[in-house]
Amino acid sequence: MAYSSASGHTGSSWNPRPPHFQMYGPPPGPQPSGALAIVGFIISLIAFLCGWVPFLGLGLGTVGLLLSILAVPKQTLRGLAVAGIVLSTIAALASLVTTGLFLLALLGSSAPTPDEGAAISHAPEDFVEIDERTLSGIAKDPDAHAGETLILYGYVTQFDADTGPCKMRVSVSAEQQPSWYEYEHNSMAYSGDGNSECSELDDVVADDEVKLTVVLQGGESYNSLGGYTTVPYFEIIDAEVL
């Protein structure tokens, strides 16, 4: 279709170009973050270094393992997350072992000692007199004779503030001796609770000669002027001043 302008020019029909539209896609979503993998790896590494510590390595290892597992599905730093899983697993297992050993040791240390436990009841006929050779064998290896019930004679060499009111050092023999220096075997003895309740020793003082009804508890070690020594350790059931 032709048209005529005011100036007399003619031309074809007007067909303007359609406007140009630029196509845009949807806005990009948030990119996956590697923070979870990094945090999980760091905690797992700390747990690995502290795996020998009871409870601590186990707790940190569990936290590091959970964070690292959550970080694995993400594309970012997946290798770091896998490394965190390995480290935290090793740490948790190692700490589980040390925690178990710690608890066993704690339970063992809380078991009552002969001083603290309930006293075992003995009949008078359970206690026997022995000869000097048997007593020498006891002094040689007290632990091998622990639990034996004996009647001994002794000379109290120390019973003061250093030993406490319920413990004493006493030189013993299988029979009563004519003089104090003939009581040959050094020993330690306690009565009652070993601390403050020991009525059996109320009448006993240092330098007394005594007849003792005792239960051998094994050996007791202490430092003396002659060095470190181990002697028989007796629980006194009855003490008679001679």
Side-chain angles (χ1 to χ4, degrees), residues 51-58 92 94-104:
W52 58 273
V53 180
F55 300 106
L56 178 61
L58 182 60
S95 185
L96 184 63
V97 173
T98 58
T99 299
L101 294 176
F102 174 80
L103 291 176
L104 288 175

Side-chain angles (χ1 to χ4, degrees), residues 119-124 127 148-150 189-192 199-201 211-217 234-240:
I120 300 175
S121 177
H122 294 284
F127 298 91
E148 293 185 6
T149 51
L150 310 168
Y190 77 94
S191 185
S199 59
E200 296 83 2
L201 300 181
K211 179 181 179 181
L212 301 174
T213 303
V214 300
V215 179
L216 178 60
Q217 299 298 322
F234 299 108
E235 178 188 2
I236 300 173
I237 305 302
D238 185 54
E240 176 187 351

Side-chain angles (χ1 to χ4, degrees), residues 42-199:
I42 292 174
I43 295 178
S44 298
L45 181 60
I46 296 174
F48 181 79
L49 297 175
C50 300
W52 58 273
V53 180
F55 300 106
L56 178 61
L58 182 60
L60 290 175
T62 302
V63 174
L65 180 62
L66 292 176
L67 293 177
S68 298
I69 290 175
L70 292 175
V72 167
K74 301 181 181 298
Q75 297 297 323
T76 306
L77 300 179
R78 177 178 292 179
L80 201 63
V82 173
I85 291 175
V86 174
L87 291 176
S88 59
T89 300
I90 296 174
L93 292 176
S95 185
L96 184 63
V97 173
T98 58
T99 299
L101 294 176
F102 174 80
L103 291 176
L104 288 175
L106 188 63
L107 291 174
S109 65
S110 64
T113 64
D115 290 2
E116 300 168 341
I120 300 175
S121 177
H122 294 284
E125 58 269 19
D126 293 337
F127 298 91
V128 297
E129 296 197 12
I130 56 176
D131 56 29
E132 287 295 336
R133 182 175 181 83
T134 301
L135 183 56
S136 296
I138 291 174
K140 180 180 179 181
D141 188 2
D143 291 330
H145 297 269
E148 293 185 6
T149 51
L150 310 168
I151 296 174
L152 300 174
Y153 297 84
Y155 173 77
V156 180
T157 57
Q158 184 181 5
F159 195 16
D160 52 25
D162 289 333
T163 62
C166 295
K167 292 184 179 181
M168 63 184 183
R169 287 179 57 193
V170 53
S171 296
V172 295
S173 180
E175 57 186 24
Q176 187 175 4
Q177 300 298 323
S179 60
W180 65 268
Y181 55 83
E182 294 187 58
Y183 291 97
E184 180 180 358
H185 303 286
N186 186 25
S187 71
M188 295 289 293
Y190 77 94
S191 185
D193 63 0
N195 295 310
S196 60
E197 299 294 331
C198 48
S199 59

